[in-house]
Amino acid sequence: MKWVKLGRVIEPKGQYDWLISHAMLPVADYIEGDIYRIYFSGRDKNNISRIGYLVVDINKPQDILELSKDPVVDVGSLGCYDDNGVSPTCLVSVDDKKYLYIMGWNKGSRVRAAEVSGLAISYDSGLSFSRYSNVPVLERTTDEPYTILVISSIIIENGVWRMWYDSADYWIDETLPKYNIKYAESTDGINWIRKKIVAVDYLYENETRVSRACVVKKDNLYQMWYCYAIGTGGYNMGYGVSEDGYSFQRKDKDVGITLSDSGWDSEMICYPHVFNHKGYTYMLYCGNGYGRTGFGIAKLMED
């Protein structure tokens, strides 16, 4: 496959108080015609993340039609799992509701940060969201006791919510977790059954992080895009396939998108969000510094 980069969609440069730096974890939501609303998190002057959105025509993605002045999901109450920041990870439309899964940031431990998953629901077509609960929908268990539990991708098939998520195996030290992508199921998108199924395992020597799955099903084949990191280094893009959605064969050499020679995505590409529109496949992805330079868009030219 071959992805053609269409350019950077947004560069965070203090447009609003919630967008002083970073534009992370973009999630696209179809509105109408060729128009999409893209949710993402920016950081304020204190480096705290909040979720806002921009609106674009997919044919002219650099021309931003609207940028939310205020966040649509703010930080949680003091002491809650998301009191130090929130980022979007996955969106599912169900009837007249939109389920936006959020990653809550928290500093209540010796490790760098706790990252667990909550849920916010919109009843007005994505213009505003309310938390389903002040506690996470994906929390620690005896089998998964570490604070990296981040929902990345969901597909609903025959009434079953199939979910792929980041899950830590352990922390190497206070700044570096080791995690890969696991699989879970639900009947309502809220209560999840986890059976320790590893969907994407480690492949390379000293690989520490496999993250932010995005799964698309085509012709009875599950395709997954994700990012991975070696040691303390930054992310690069990966790709895998599966016939059942449970276990994926890694084919990272076939991913078809790499670092640019220079510029905003020359040091890192990460956090892929892949979606289809009118027969074409697009990818939103973040650049250098985990989105410090913003996010861009690419189009798949060869399947």
Side-chain angles (χ1 to χ4, degrees):
M1 74 178 70
K2 179 178 175 60
W3 294 90
V4 174
K5 295 180 178 180
L6 304 180
R8 178 164 51 180
V9 175
I10 186 170
E11 177 186 3
K13 48 185 178 182
Q15 290 92 332
Y16 294 114
D17 289 345
W18 67 273
L19 191 52
I20 299 300
S21 74
H22 291 75
M24 292 179 57
L25 293 160
V27 176
D29 186 34
Y30 177 71
I31 299 178
E32 62 180 2
D34 296 317
I35 305 300
Y36 279 80
R37 181 178 290 113
I38 301 174
Y39 299 96
F40 64 99
S41 65
R43 299 187 189 181
D44 67 12
K45 63 182 181 180
N46 298 314
N47 206 37
I48 293 175
S49 298
R50 292 172 174 84
I51 300 171
Y53 68 81
L54 58 80
V55 178
V56 295
D57 183 322
I58 200 67
N59 299 308
K60 298 178 289 184
Q62 283 83 17
D63 298 334
I64 297 174
L65 303 176
E66 180 185 355
L67 178 63
S68 60
K69 181 179 179 180
D70 300 307
V72 293
V73 181
D74 210 328
V75 297
S77 299
L78 188 65
C80 287
Y81 76 98
D82 52 356
D83 68 353
N84 200 52
V86 284
S87 297
T89 61
C90 177
L91 187 142
V92 181
S93 295
V94 184
D95 299 325
D96 60 345
K97 301 184 292 292
K98 293 184 183 293
Y99 282 33
L100 181 64
Y101 293 90
I102 60 176
M103 175 174 65
W105 301 81
N106 186 277
K107 297 190 298 183
S109 172
R110 287 171 52 201
V111 297
R112 172 175 53 81
E115 302 169 10
V116 294
S117 293
L119 172 63
I121 301 176
S122 175
Y123 299 91
D124 59 3
S125 301
L127 294 175
S128 65
F129 289 85
S130 300
R131 277 175 174 75
Y132 168 77
S133 172
N134 286 327
V135 299
V137 295
L138 200 66
E139 183 56 290
R140 290 179 290 182
T141 67
T142 300
D143 292 327
E144 293 180 297
Y146 302 103
T147 50
I148 300 290
L149 290 165
V150 180
I151 295 172
S152 293
S153 189
I154 294 173
I155 293 178
I156 302 176
E157 292 185 304
N158 301 317
V160 177
W161 296 56
R162 309 192 67 186
M163 183 259 282
W164 297 265
Y165 65 105
D166 298 0
S167 171
D169 289 325
Y170 56 89
W171 282 77
I172 297 170
D173 57 40
E174 293 180 5
T175 64
L176 185 63
K178 186 178 178 71
Y179 54 85
N180 54 15
I181 296 169
K182 296 184 175 68
Y183 173 84
E185 293 183 353
S186 173
T187 58
D188 58 10
I190 297 170
N191 301 288
W192 295 95
I193 299 171
R194 292 178 265 171
K195 297 182 178 179
K196 298 187 287 186
I197 297 173
V198 177
V200 182
D201 210 347
Y202 311 105
L203 179 62
Y204 309 109
E205 183 179 358
N206 201 30
E207 187 173 32
T208 53
R209 290 154 286 156
V210 189
S211 180
R212 217 291 168 94
C214 186
V215 178
V216 175
K217 188 178 182 182
K218 183 177 181 181
D219 299 329
N220 294 317
L221 185 70
Y222 296 87
Q223 298 175 288
M224 181 192 291
W225 289 265
Y226 49 86
C227 50
Y228 65 92
I230 308 299
T232 58
Y235 283 120
N236 212 325
M237 209 70 78
Y239 171 72
V241 296
S242 173
E243 293 183 354
D244 56 18
Y246 296 109
S247 177
F248 284 76
Q249 179 185 3
R250 293 184 64 166
K251 294 178 172 288
D252 295 342
K253 293 181 179 179
D254 297 334
V255 70
I257 186 169
T258 60
L259 301 175
S260 295
D261 293 333
S262 61
W264 73 276
D265 62 349
S266 59
E267 300 169 9
M268 187 186 303
I269 51 176
C270 59
Y271 305 145
H273 175 77
V274 177
F275 61 98
N276 297 312
H277 177 71
K278 294 185 176 179
Y280 292 98
T281 303
Y282 296 86
M283 176 193 291
L284 299 171
Y285 68 97
C286 288
N288 303 344
Y290 306 94
R292 174 179 47 80
T293 56
F295 67 81
I297 188 169
K299 186 176 184 180
L300 185 62
M301 303 306 292
E302 297 178 9
D303 234 352

